[in-house]
Amino acid sequence: MLPVFPSTMLPTTSPQNGSLSARDAARHTAGAKRYKYLRRLLHFKAMDFEFAVWQMLYLFTSPQRVYRNFHYRKQTKDQWARDDPAFLVLLSIWLCVSTVGFGLVLDMGFVETLKLLLWVVFIDCIGVGLLISTLMWFITNKYLLKPPSKDYDVEWGYAFDVHLNAFYPLLVILHFLQLFFINHIVVINSDWFLGYFVGNSLWLTAISYYLYITFLGYNALPQLQNTVVLLYPFALLVLLYILSLSLGWNFTKGLCWFYKYRVQ
């Protein structure tokens, strides 16, 4: 189980003058944090993969516990974002394995599967992830910061971590669990109500996880207000789901067509 973290704030300032020393301040700059994070990518032995696995499990069962750890990191290391890239490494492995699975299920050759893998990793994961993280970082700092908290803005690295947390359940549901239905119910029998009901329900569940975990991530930050607005897209999501069932839309069939079109 994940450790139970104390509720009191641990000291992060100098006891003499209440401010960080010059040396400590240098360690807490964005550049220093980024350098430390990237450097640890080259040292697998320094990564805590066991804890990263626990985080992945709790993102499905109790994502609030994961964000409790982020709060504890802020207290002890004066940063919200992860300083250990183990979660990112495991997520990348999941992404590669599930994409290869998609290539097998869709009867793609080696070259086509390799093209799909490059598309998914560099465009869908990295490219879209950077775009969404930057957008959420801008929105939260521009519109959701409490007035007295202008000096305590949302870290971009934390916004990226929130995206990774929310992306993981979506990846497992749409890129792994869905594989077992593609050639049996969802796509081949696409004219059946059961087919697009199962497929679209998986999409509804995956995107709901993404929205909810994103909300929890920003709701955990004490300097933000009105984070409930991040739950408003749920109404549009449910409406789109009902509409898709009424009109017989099959989102999974569209995804498979899009993947095949990409590698042509």
Side-chain angles (χ1 to χ4, degrees):
M1 294 180 60
L2 289 176
V4 177
F5 306 118
S7 58
T8 57
M9 180 67 73
L10 298 180
T12 58
T13 59
S14 171
Q16 296 179 351
N17 55 17
S19 60
L20 289 173
S21 66
R23 184 177 180 181
D24 288 336
R27 289 177 178 175
H28 288 82
T29 62
K33 294 175 183 178
R34 183 166 54 248
Y35 172 75
K36 180 181 178 182
Y37 185 87
L38 294 176
R39 185 180 62 181
R40 292 188 68 174
L41 276 172
L42 303 177
H43 298 84
F44 277 72
K45 292 183 179 180
M47 299 184 197
D48 191 351
F49 288 105
E50 181 179 357
F51 185 66
V53 170
W54 276 111
Q55 286 184 314
M56 288 180 165
L57 293 175
Y58 275 115
L59 283 172
F60 275 101
T61 59
S62 183
Q64 296 92 335
R65 293 193 177 189
V66 177
Y67 287 115
R68 238 177 273 166
N69 172 253
F70 280 80
H71 182 71
Y72 179 68
R73 184 183 302 109
K74 175 62 177 177
Q75 294 175 331
T76 56
K77 300 182 180 181
D78 197 30
Q79 71 177 67
W80 287 97
R82 288 187 176 97
D83 59 348
D84 184 351
F87 186 92
L88 177 61
V89 172
L90 292 182
L91 180 65
S92 300
I93 294 174
W94 260 104
L95 187 63
C96 292
V97 172
S98 62
T99 302
V100 171
F102 248 103
L104 294 174
V105 169
L106 298 180
D107 295 324
M108 294 183 180
F110 174 78
V111 176
E112 291 177 325
T113 302
L114 181 60
K115 288 181 181 179
L116 179 63
L117 180 61
L118 295 176
W119 268 100
V120 170
V121 171
F122 290 102
I123 303 299
D124 297 348
C125 182
I126 298 178
V128 175
L130 293 176
L131 179 63
I132 293 177
S133 301
T134 302
L135 180 63
M136 293 302 299
W137 170 77
F138 173 79
I139 291 175
T140 52
N141 283 315
K142 182 71 173 178
Y143 301 107
L144 300 183
L145 272 183
K146 295 178 181 177
S149 303
K150 294 298 182 182
D151 294 332
Y152 302 94
D153 60 348
V154 177
E155 302 170 11
W156 185 91
Y158 181 76
F160 187 65
D161 279 335
V162 170
H163 167 71
L164 293 181
N165 290 342
F167 181 72
Y168 173 69
L170 183 145
L171 171 68
V172 172
I173 294 171
L174 296 183
H175 252 236
F176 178 69
L177 294 179
Q178 192 168 226
L179 292 178
F180 298 99
F181 297 95
I182 286 179
N183 284 334
H184 300 284
I185 297 177
V186 179
V187 172
I188 297 237
N189 298 324
S190 58
D191 292 334
W192 289 15
F193 174 79
L194 180 61
Y196 52 81
F197 172 75
V198 172
N200 293 359
S201 296
L202 288 174
W203 280 82
L204 174 68
T205 304
I207 298 176
S208 295
Y209 260 112
Y210 187 91
L211 294 176
Y212 181 60
I213 292 176
T214 298
F215 160 74
L216 289 178
Y218 293 104
N219 191 56
L221 298 179
Q223 67 265 39
L224 295 184
Q225 61 182 351
N226 301 325
T227 53
V228 69
V229 299
L230 300 177
L231 294 176
Y232 289 174
F234 267 110
L236 180 61
L237 177 63
V238 173
L239 179 62
L240 182 62
Y241 173 72
I242 296 174
L243 186 63
S244 70
L245 295 183
S246 303
L247 300 178
W249 295 344
N250 191 325
F251 295 141
T252 302
K253 185 177 181 180
L255 177 67
C256 293
W257 173 86
F258 180 63
Y259 275 179
K260 288 182 176 181
Y261 175 79
R262 268 181 163 181
V263 300
Q264 289 179 356

